[in-house]
Amino acid sequence: MRMRATARGWTAVWLVVLALVQAAAFLAVWRVAVHTEIGQWVDTVALTGNEIGHDRIDGPVDRILNAMSVVSLLAATAMIGFIALIRGRIALAVTATLLIAGANVSTQLLKYGLSRPDFGVDPERAAVGNSLPSGHTAVAASVAVALMLVLPRKVRAVGAFVGALYAAVAGVATLSAGWHRPSDAVAAYLVVGVWAALAGLLLLITQREQAQVEPGDAHRVAAAVLGVAGVLALVASGLALSWLVDLRGIGPEELARRPLFAGYAGSAAGIAGTMAVVMALALTVVHRLVPRVKG
């Protein structure tokens, strides 16, 4: 069936809401994790906890992160654009490219533009300054979401799961390697989520009159599974970190193994959960943005 003007209008409203909610979530993460002492303390505990079992995962983690270079990003962007073009979707190719470019450029601008006060919680990294959002995580997440957008509807759900897993692993890897605080990865996913919503609005504006929307293309089950899994991971993260907060009077380097592991594992769950929710939100609406086309 053709997408009516009212349905198109509600889709636009939904995308605007998604962009605003994720932008607000980004500001909340930045405010709490960077501009409060307890937020910096939790991030530092998670970073300190990554030393548990570090020797066993050091090699795989380094390989994952080292694969995310400018060259690999350009190659991935070219591949995604090519997939859209061979499907005859020029607007989709342009939009997916803009999503990746916008998310990664804004991530770098935010990283160097946002301030980070020094509360004396993490003196070893104080000189580094602000590291939010994570550039490596933004690369992985933007490529994952853009790939999901350009894939044919028959494999779109599989692409969403694989992409979410890849981006979540990349985010946790930045924590495991000690490259980024957990809030950096969470913030990067939210930046990508905002750009995904903006990309959706652009696709809606450029959508052809003969566009067809089929209810069977909605991937409701896949989106629900991703969303529920993400929410459960976020709840587990909240429980672990709330228990940890009771120990906030102790320096991160003085904590025992159990609270350090809780900080690391809880933060990793929060990272993975955020990516799952961001991907689920994008998957709920993509069938209206990249519908079937006559002819």
Side-chain angles (χ1 to χ4, degrees), residues 14-35:
W14 173 242
L15 291 169
V16 171
V17 169
L18 285 183
L20 292 176
V21 167
Q22 291 178 102
F26 171 87
L27 291 174
V29 169
W30 171 66
R31 181 65 183 173
V32 173
V34 177
H35 282 266

Side-chain angles (χ1 to χ4, degrees), residues 7 20 55 57-59 70 73 84 105 131 139 154 196 207 236 270 275 284:
L20 292 176
D55 293 340
I57 62 174
D58 188 36
V70 175
L73 176 61
V105 170
S131 58
V139 167
K154 292 182 179 180
Q207 197 172 92
M275 183 60 221
T284 59

Side-chain angles (χ1 to χ4, degrees), residues 47-49 133 177 184 193 201 234 251-252 272:
L47 268 179
T48 306
D184 300 349
L201 285 172
L234 289 173

Side-chain angles (χ1 to χ4, degrees), residues 66-241:
N66 290 331
M68 297 176 193
S69 62
V70 175
V71 174
S72 64
L73 176 61
L74 293 175
T77 303
M79 179 196 70
I80 288 169
F82 178 73
I83 292 173
L85 289 175
I86 62 175
R87 296 184 60 207
R89 305 294 184 97
I90 298 175
L92 182 58
V94 173
T95 302
T97 302
L98 289 176
L99 189 165
I100 295 173
N104 286 281
V105 170
S106 59
T107 292
Q108 296 303 319
L109 292 176
L110 287 167
K111 183 184 298 186
Y112 293 106
L114 296 177
S115 61
R116 181 182 180 84
D118 182 11
F119 294 121
V121 175
D122 190 11
E124 293 183 4
R125 301 178 184 87
V128 176
N130 179 60
S131 58
L132 180 150
S134 163
H136 282 77
T137 305
V139 167
S142 61
V143 168
V145 174
L147 180 61
M148 184 272 294
L149 283 177
V150 304
L151 286 175
R153 61 185 180 275
K154 292 182 179 180
V155 294
R156 187 177 292 150
V158 175
F161 278 100
V162 173
L165 178 61
Y166 164 69
V169 168
V172 174
T174 63
L175 171 63
S176 300
W179 288 17
H180 277 285
R181 305 170 176 95
S183 59
D184 300 349
V186 170
Y189 295 141
L190 295 171
V191 170
V192 172
V194 171
W195 275 97
L198 296 177
L201 285 172
L202 180 58
L203 284 173
L204 204 61
I205 292 171
T206 59
Q207 197 172 92
R208 295 163 64 178
E209 289 296 328
Q210 64 266 43
Q212 292 180 325
V213 175
E214 298 292 339
D217 296 342
H219 301 297
R220 293 186 180 89
V221 175
V225 171
L226 270 173
V228 170
V231 169
L232 290 176
L234 289 173
V235 170
S237 174
L239 291 174
L241 298 182

